[in-house]
Amino acid sequence: MVKAPACTFVIFGVSGDLAARKLIPALFELHREGAMHEATQIVGYARREWSDDDLRSRMRDALIKYGHGEFDQALWDDLAPRLSFCHGDYDGHEGYQALASHLSKLAHDTHLFYTATPPSTYESIANGLGSAGLNHRGDARFIIEKPFGTDLDSAKALNATILKNFDEEQVYRIDHYLAKETAQNIAALRFANTIFEPTWNSQYVDHVQVTMAEPMGIEGRGGFYEQAGVVRDVVQNHLLQLAALVATEPPASYDAKSVRDEKVKVLRAMHCVQVGDAVMGQYISSNGDSSYRDEEGVDSRSRQATYAAIELRIDNWRWAGVPFYIRSGKRLVSKSSEIVIYYKTPPHVPFQFRKPPREDRIVLRLVPNEGISIRYNAKVPGQGISLNTASMDFYYNEQFKRRNPDAYETLLLDAMMGDATLFMRADEVEEQWRIVMPILNTWENANEEPAFYESGTWGPEEADDMLARSGRRWHAPQTESR
């Protein structure tokens, strides 16, 4: 593994859940692997009046509870002295001046500022860093968590504030799905193998499906989910990014500018088909669990969608006429995220069958069992020709015999290295909002009830009908870990 240059990593909101569950465990794993420079400092910033020892104690507890591997006391003893705390508010100037003074004592030229805070603080943090001169002190990088805005107008306003204080090259907008190994492997599959890319177009592909299914409900986040819903929470970011990765043209080189230029081209060509036909669903009780409307913080008459199924089209030379179906929902059968490329059936099959052969498929699994499967028709042993679906399967954990790095490990290391390839650019984010705004506006101005579906199913029947109208069906995701 490469080793990043020395830096100071500042976590705004270090007392929160994201820092405990994701950031500190990821940094600890980078330390364990030797990828984080031995001189790198980690600074926690929050409103709480903690001491350095308070921070270290809580981060140690977080590692024991949420860490990826067995807790190693010796490794922690080596890292702990490099953690320090700075108290301050997110509004005003005093806290940022105190932070500037604190950072000057650490004497690093590279500073990474991570917003593990509520989205309402992003603009204040950007302005505060600018007012203290930290935006251009040495090599400063501003790392922003999603959600990035709540609609197109708010995303544009947030971009304007951030870009008033930082250059675009300094800004790293996170979508952790981009760092999953299978998401990154889409480019390798297409651009490093002769057998796939020639058929990756409308001449051979019938349609594409992108699924993100979750078995859990809203887990006590009723207030948040009433404002966000499934489209803002995961469709506008995760699912559109995965669709864009599938659909991009080959970049001239695999660097941040070239890759993101190609993604923006695809997003600009992407739009929703028949906005009124998008399926907006909501889970109801099954087997004694709660309905969405019974959750704490949720209006008893809420129309908020916990499920969405949408048809997209990409109006360019490669993908004209190919539907991209994306869906995501809470309280579904299992946790599963995948991309399925469905190929067209052969124009002529010289065998006699009672049922036509199944379509060839490439299945790119992000969750569970990251890997790739190719499904194709093969002859069943015996007299005569009888076909059944066969599969060639690739699993990361079996092929490479090593642990896949967590997405945050990859993203934090890339940010330390100054590589923005897996991060989103301002124009990407705004194009993604442009794509979903017709759906959001249509649904939020309508009066009809959502399409209700029972917990533990694959969603409302209306989503099945969306594909059935064209003779298609949803792929059944893999539900068990291998």
Side-chain angles (χ1 to χ4, degrees), residues 189 195-196 343 360-365 372-377 389-394:
L189 183 77
I195 64 174
F196 296 112
Y343 280 82
D360 298 337
R361 286 156 285 162
I362 298 177
V363 182
L364 308 164
R365 282 185 314 278
I372 300 168
S373 294
I374 300 176
R375 311 286 175 83
Y376 59 97
N377 293 299
T389 301
S391 181
M392 291 191 292
D393 299 309
F394 155 67

Coordinates of all heavy atoms in Angstrom, one line a residue, residues 189 195-196 343 360-365 372-377 389-394:
L189 N -13.2 -3.5 -15.6 CA -13.9 -4.5 -16.4 C -14.1 -4.1 -17.9 O -13.9 -4.8 -18.8 CB -15.3 -4.7 -15.8 CG -16.2 -5.8 -16.4 CD1 -15.7 -7.2 -16.0 CD2 -17.6 -5.6 -16.0
I195 N -13.1 -8.2 -24.2 CA -14.4 -8.9 -24.5 C -15.6 -8.2 -24.0 O -16.7 -8.5 -24.5 CB -14.3 -10.3 -23.8 CG1 -14.3 -10.2 -22.3 CG2 -13.2 -11.2 -24.3 CD1 -14.4 -11.5 -21.6
F196 N -15.5 -7.2 -23.2 CA -16.7 -6.5 -22.7 C -17.0 -5.2 -23.4 O -18.2 -5.0 -23.8 CB -16.5 -6.2 -21.2 CG -16.4 -7.4 -20.3 CD1 -15.2 -7.8 -19.7 CD2 -17.5 -8.3 -20.2 CE1 -15.1 -8.9 -19.0 CE2 -17.4 -9.5 -19.4 CZ -16.2 -9.8 -18.8
Y343 N -28.5 -8.2 -21.5 CA -28.3 -8.2 -22.9 C -29.5 -8.6 -23.7 O -30.4 -9.2 -23.1 CB -27.1 -9.1 -23.2 CG -25.8 -8.5 -22.9 CD1 -25.2 -8.5 -21.7 CD2 -25.0 -7.9 -24.0 CE1 -24.0 -7.9 -21.4 CE2 -23.8 -7.3 -23.7 CZ -23.3 -7.3 -22.4 OH -22.1 -6.7 -22.1
D360 N -28.7 -13.0 -21.4 CA -27.4 -12.9 -20.8 C -27.3 -11.7 -19.9 O -27.9 -10.7 -20.2 CB -26.3 -12.8 -21.8 CG -26.3 -14.0 -22.7 OD1 -26.7 -15.1 -22.3 OD2 -25.7 -13.9 -23.9
R361 N -26.6 -11.9 -18.8 CA -26.5 -10.8 -17.8 C -25.1 -10.7 -17.2 O -24.5 -11.7 -17.0 CB -27.5 -11.0 -16.6 CG -29.0 -10.7 -16.9 CD -29.8 -11.5 -16.0 NE -29.9 -12.9 -16.3 CZ -30.3 -13.9 -15.5 NH1 -30.6 -13.6 -14.2 NH2 -30.3 -15.1 -15.9
I362 N -24.7 -9.5 -16.9 CA -23.5 -9.2 -16.1 C -24.0 -8.6 -14.8 O -24.7 -7.6 -14.9 CB -22.5 -8.3 -16.8 CG1 -22.0 -8.9 -18.1 CG2 -21.3 -8.0 -15.9 CD1 -21.0 -8.1 -18.9
V363 N -23.7 -9.2 -13.7 CA -24.2 -8.7 -12.4 C -23.0 -8.2 -11.6 O -22.0 -9.0 -11.4 CB -24.9 -9.8 -11.6 CG1 -25.4 -9.3 -10.3 CG2 -26.0 -10.5 -12.4
L364 N -23.0 -6.9 -11.3 CA -21.9 -6.3 -10.5 C -22.5 -6.1 -9.1 O -23.3 -5.3 -8.9 CB -21.5 -4.9 -11.2 CG -21.2 -5.0 -12.7 CD1 -21.2 -3.6 -13.3 CD2 -19.9 -5.6 -12.9
R365 N -21.9 -6.9 -8.2 CA -22.5 -6.8 -6.8 C -21.6 -5.9 -5.9 O -20.4 -6.2 -5.8 CB -22.5 -8.2 -6.2 CG -23.6 -9.1 -6.6 CD -23.6 -10.4 -5.8 NE -22.2 -11.0 -5.8 CZ -21.6 -11.6 -6.8 NH1 -22.3 -11.9 -7.9 NH2 -20.4 -12.1 -6.7
I372 N -18.4 -10.0 -9.3 CA -19.0 -9.9 -10.6 C -19.4 -11.3 -11.0 O -18.7 -12.3 -10.8 CB -18.0 -9.4 -11.6 CG1 -17.5 -8.0 -11.2 CG2 -18.6 -9.3 -13.0 CD1 -16.4 -7.5 -12.0
S373 N -20.6 -11.4 -11.5 CA -21.1 -12.7 -12.1 C -21.6 -12.5 -13.5 O -22.2 -11.5 -13.8 CB -22.3 -13.2 -11.3 OG -21.9 -13.6 -9.9
I374 N -21.3 -13.5 -14.4 CA -21.8 -13.5 -15.7 C -22.7 -14.6 -15.9 O -22.4 -15.8 -15.6 CB -20.6 -13.6 -16.7 CG1 -19.6 -12.4 -16.6 CG2 -21.1 -13.7 -18.2 CD1 -18.4 -12.5 -17.4
R375 N -24.0 -14.3 -16.2 CA -25.0 -15.3 -16.4 C -25.3 -15.5 -17.9 O -25.5 -14.6 -18.6 CB -26.3 -14.9 -15.7 CG -26.1 -14.4 -14.3 CD -25.9 -15.5 -13.3 NE -25.6 -15.1 -12.0 CZ -26.5 -14.7 -11.1 NH1 -27.8 -14.8 -11.4 NH2 -26.1 -14.3 -9.9
Y376 N -25.2 -16.8 -18.3 CA -25.4 -17.1 -19.7 C -26.1 -18.4 -19.9 O -26.2 -19.2 -18.9 CB -24.0 -17.1 -20.4 CG -23.1 -18.1 -19.8 CD1 -22.9 -19.4 -20.4 CD2 -22.3 -17.8 -18.7 CE1 -22.1 -20.3 -19.9 CE2 -21.5 -18.8 -18.1 CZ -21.4 -20.0 -18.7 OH -20.5 -21.0 -18.2
N377 N -26.5 -18.7 -21.1 CA -27.2 -20.0 -21.4 C -26.2 -21.1 -21.7 O -25.3 -20.9 -22.5 CB -28.2 -19.8 -22.5 CG -29.3 -18.9 -22.2 OD1 -30.1 -19.1 -21.2 ND2 -29.4 -17.8 -22.9
T389 N -29.6 -21.7 -17.2 CA -28.7 -20.6 -16.9 C -27.4 -21.1 -16.2 O -27.6 -21.7 -15.2 CB -29.4 -19.5 -16.1 OG1 -30.5 -19.0 -16.9 CG2 -28.5 -18.3 -15.9
A390 N -26.3 -20.7 -16.7 CA -25.0 -21.0 -16.0 C -24.4 -19.7 -15.5 O -24.8 -18.6 -16.0 CB -24.1 -21.8 -16.9
S391 N -23.4 -19.8 -14.7 CA -22.8 -18.6 -14.1 C -21.3 -18.7 -13.9 O -20.8 -19.8 -13.5 CB -23.5 -18.3 -12.7 OG -23.0 -17.2 -12.1
M392 N -20.6 -17.7 -14.2 CA -19.2 -17.6 -13.9 C -19.1 -16.5 -12.9 O -19.5 -15.3 -13.1 CB -18.4 -17.2 -15.1 CG -18.3 -18.4 -16.1 SD -17.1 -18.1 -17.5 CE -17.9 -16.8 -18.4
D393 N -18.6 -16.8 -11.7 CA -18.6 -15.9 -10.6 C -17.2 -15.5 -10.1 O -16.3 -16.4 -10.0 CB -19.3 -16.5 -9.4 CG -20.8 -16.9 -9.7 OD1 -21.5 -16.0 -10.2 OD2 -21.2 -18.0 -9.5
F394 N -17.1 -14.2 -9.8 CA -15.8 -13.7 -9.2 C -16.1 -13.0 -7.9 O -17.0 -12.2 -7.8 CB -15.2 -12.7 -10.2 CG -14.3 -11.7 -9.6 CD1 -13.1 -12.1 -9.0 CD2 -14.6 -10.3 -9.6 CE1 -12.3 -11.1 -8.4 CE2 -13.8 -9.4 -9.0 CZ -12.6 -9.8 -8.4

